[in-house]
Amino acid sequence: GLLGDGRTVEESLLKLLPVQNRAYKSLLRSLVDSVSPIKSRVIESSSLADATEVSIARSVDDKTWRNCQLALSKALKFFDAQRSKLQPLFNADDTTEMTVLKSERGEQVIGKLRDGIESMVAAAQERNVTALFETQSRSLMALAETGELLVVAFPYDVPATGKFANLPRLQGRTRVVFTMKRGAATLGNVTIVADGFAAPITAGNFVDLCARNFYTGLPIEMLRKRLGIEALESSIDDTVVQKDAEYLLEKTISNFNAKFGTNVLVEEVDDSDTIVATVPVWGSYQEGFYDPLTAKPRRIPLEVVQEDEGGKGFKLAYAGGFGKLPADSKIQDNAPLSKSSSSVRPYRPALSFDIPGLVALNHADKYLNGGSSEFFSIPEKDLSRQKSRLLDGQYAPFGYVTEGYDLLSELKPGDTIAATDVSEFGRLNLVRVRGGTFGDYIKSSSDDNEDAV
């Protein structure tokens, strides 16, 4: 596809946006195609043992640099000519607050986009490979932010009955900034973009907990996980969480971490399809978040965005056993691949865990639908294709670390979230389906159980 294999955050953000705006799509193609020939040559030369930044830059011939500069100059002129067509879309049901914030954000991100393209032109003129790639990344990120405001309608028919009824959902994207501390010292910020286009219920749960300030004060923990085991499709039983240690995430800080004070992911190979790993996890607190509506831990169904055959569109898939989907639902109700399943995946997850900065909801190893408040992002130094293969389809990606990824890799067990800030505009994308009563929830649960019989 246009965005290649989608192995960066900005590519993933762009990939999932359901935008049909012609000016937007033309600009996206120009920003990608203009740099692709240079990237191809750089990849070839960087594989050499004696490659340096200077030698890599010189590996690109004059004609390729001139073509890149010309293409980017044309993209900048195109942007200026089509700028009015990139203005935010306003819907009839937008509140006054939403309309005002859309206008303000539109001006901000469109300005960032122009600055980014201008910087790309300058980098091409200087024949600076590093600057060109960095400014392209910033420009694509700004284009993704612009695209968020060009979505005509939310693309998914998210379930809103039965057990799904009391779960918040995110119909768009929201930026959350965590301020991290170690003791009394402030370490810096980690920014996460929660993506409702990747997992509306999972991202909605995360933003809802952030808005409630649930995460503030909680420490980073190292949890021992077995990746690749056969998981159960049913929802986790809260009594099991409390009583059965086999299905709990074993909370450990390994001797290695205690000695060296690092969050290096420790592994031991169980068999060819299983890894036992120690993973840095955020948001760990008892059994998770207790929902005031149900007076029970909130459980989130495993929700994975899948890519249609041919990469022409996206659909949501839920693991079975959480709750019955509506009869006319376009959503798929099928569990991800397990060891006992066919060797052919029932679908291909659109997001892979080899994307640096990918954020996913954690769940007890054997319970696909057991997630609540915990989430994780694998540090870049710990990424591997084997881990990605075992995580893909078994955990729900719902966001990306867009700033502070270096800090994330340096966090240690015991470091805490000192503050949580949810963007004002992003809060408006959070939808709570029903602010009903406990009796309403009991009735919906009973109806769901009857349907399942």
Side-chain angles (χ1 to χ4, degrees), residues 306-328:
Q306 66 180 42
E307 194 162 7
D308 284 354
E309 192 172 337
K312 297 180 180 179
F314 303 94
K315 296 179 181 179
L316 292 178
Y318 293 93
F322 181 80
K324 187 173 181 180
L325 297 173
D328 60 348

Side-chain angles (χ1 to χ4, degrees), residues 7 267 275 345 348-349 351-355 382-392:
R7 291 297 186 259
E267 304 173 17
I275 292 178
R345 287 182 182 273
R348 183 179 73 177
L351 298 174
S352 172
F353 278 86
D354 56 8
I355 300 170
D382 296 324
L383 292 174
S384 73
R385 187 58 207 142
Q386 186 180 19
K387 290 191 204 76
S388 299
R389 180 177 62 82
L390 296 177
L391 289 166
D392 288 350

Side-chain angles (χ1 to χ4, degrees), residues 226-272:
R226 186 182 300 274
L227 308 181
I229 64 171
E230 182 175 351
L232 304 178
E233 296 181 16
S234 61
S235 296
I236 192 167
D237 186 335
D238 296 318
T239 59
V240 171
V241 173
Q242 298 169 25
K243 296 179 181 179
D244 195 339
E246 181 183 356
Y247 300 134
L248 285 175
L249 294 175
E250 182 186 348
K251 297 185 178 182
T252 63
I253 301 177
S254 69
N255 292 334
F256 182 92
N257 290 321
K259 180 176 180 180
F260 294 102
T262 179
N263 65 351
V264 171
L265 194 149
V266 180
E267 304 173 17
E268 52 184 275
V269 178
D270 195 325
D271 56 48
S272 60

Side-chain angles (χ1 to χ4, degrees), residues 126-143:
E126 297 168 3
R127 302 192 175 188
N128 186 324
V129 171
T130 300
L132 179 62
F133 292 172
E134 289 178 349
T135 53
Q136 185 198 40
S137 177
R138 292 205 306 269
S139 298
L140 292 176
M141 185 68 75
L143 185 61

Side-chain angles (χ1 to χ4, degrees), residues 1 39 67 92 108 129 136 164 205 208 259 295 329 396 407 425 435 439 449:
K39 280 193 172 179
N67 289 341
Q108 179 187 38
V129 171
Q136 185 198 40
F164 291 90
N205 173 67
D208 181 52
K259 180 176 180 180
S329 175
L407 173 58
F425 176 75
N449 290 336

